[in-house]
């Protein structure tokens, strides 16, 4: 869910605190976020296929504010991919929006939409993973795909 705090265990420190943000959060006061002790952000860049109308409306602002304030960030795309062709377009969507940016954390493909539950998620995940170079996300050698089973 949006506004949910993310926690990551790290060596030498029990917990890093982060936030998951998107256009649903509207305009964020990133100065307040930094002052609150948040260690990182995972920013939604968009959803679905590579069309500008599917870019997150606050992507540019959120990423530029994190970069300006030195807040490490990762990126996610909310996926609706139902086949590998669709997945490849979603990967292109992420790559287009990442031009000129270097997230510290990985690129995530959020694969939890109910419309994808009967699809070949392994093939879709492989297509996404093979299309986004590991250099997008300096802490990880692999890209991460997130899938939450849809409750009955």
């Amino acid at each position: 869910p949006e506004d949910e705090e993310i926690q990551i265990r790290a060596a030498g420190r029990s917990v890093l605190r982060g936030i998951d943000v998107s256009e649903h959060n509207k305009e964020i006061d990133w100065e307040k976020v930094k002052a609150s002790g948040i260690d990182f952000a995972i920013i939604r860049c968009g959803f679905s296929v590579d069309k500008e109308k599917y870019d997150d409306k606050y992507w540019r602002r959120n990423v530029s504010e994190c970069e300006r304030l030195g807040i490490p960030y990762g990126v996610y795309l909310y996926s609706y991919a139902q086949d590998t062709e669709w997945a490849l377009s979603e990967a292109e969507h992420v790559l287009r929006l990442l031009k000129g940016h270097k997230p510290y954390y990985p690129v995530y493909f959020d694969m939890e939409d109910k419309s994808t539950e009967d699809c070949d998620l392994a093939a879709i995940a492989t297509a996404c993973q093979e299309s986004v170079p590991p250099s997008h996300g300096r802490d990880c050698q692999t890209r991460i795909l997130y899938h939450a089973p849809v409750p009955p």
Side-chain angles (χ1 to χ4, degrees):
E2 302 299 329
D3 296 330
E4 200 171 282
E5 188 172 293
I6 303 165
Q7 297 184 348
I8 296 178
R9 302 216 179 274
R13 188 164 175 196
S14 60
V15 174
L16 292 175
R17 294 176 49 231
I19 55 173
D20 163 0
V21 300
S22 74
E23 65 189 45
H24 300 291
N25 301 101
K26 307 277 188 243
E27 190 165 309
I28 296 167
D29 183 338
W30 285 100
E31 301 264 356
K32 272 188 184 174
V33 169
K34 184 167 182 154
S36 75
I38 290 295
D39 297 300
F40 68 94
I42 305 299
I43 306 170
R44 185 177 84 161
C45 64
F47 57 96
S48 197
V49 295
D50 187 18
K51 293 186 178 182
E52 284 187 24
K53 69 180 183 178
Y54 298 131
D55 295 356
D56 186 287
K57 290 177 179 75
Y58 285 87
W59 156 252
R60 283 184 178 77
R61 183 179 191 286
N62 288 336
V63 75
S64 67
E65 284 295 282
C66 283
E67 290 171 349
R68 179 179 73 83
L69 295 168
I71 300 170
Y73 66 91
V75 175
Y76 79 95
L77 180 125
Y78 190 89
S79 176
Y80 289 96
Q82 296 181 8
D83 57 42
T84 56
E85 185 177 334
W86 193 333
L88 292 173
S89 181
E90 289 187 343
E92 288 299 317
H93 190 174
V94 171
L95 292 172
R96 173 175 57 82
L97 292 173
L98 282 177
K99 284 182 183 156
H101 302 288
K102 279 202 119 167
Y104 185 81
Y105 290 103
V107 171
Y108 302 85
F109 288 88
D110 186 352
M111 302 170 62
E112 63 178 300
D113 196 74
K114 187 168 178 56
S115 66
T116 66
E117 67 184 13
D118 293 324
C119 301
D120 184 352
L121 293 178
I124 292 166
T126 299
C128 290
Q129 197 166 30
E130 290 176 351
S131 299
V132 178
S135 62
H136 289 292
R138 284 177 247 158
D139 265 7
C140 296
Q141 292 303 307
T142 58
R143 284 71 60 219
I144 295 175
L145 295 120
Y146 169 76
H147 173 69
V150 178

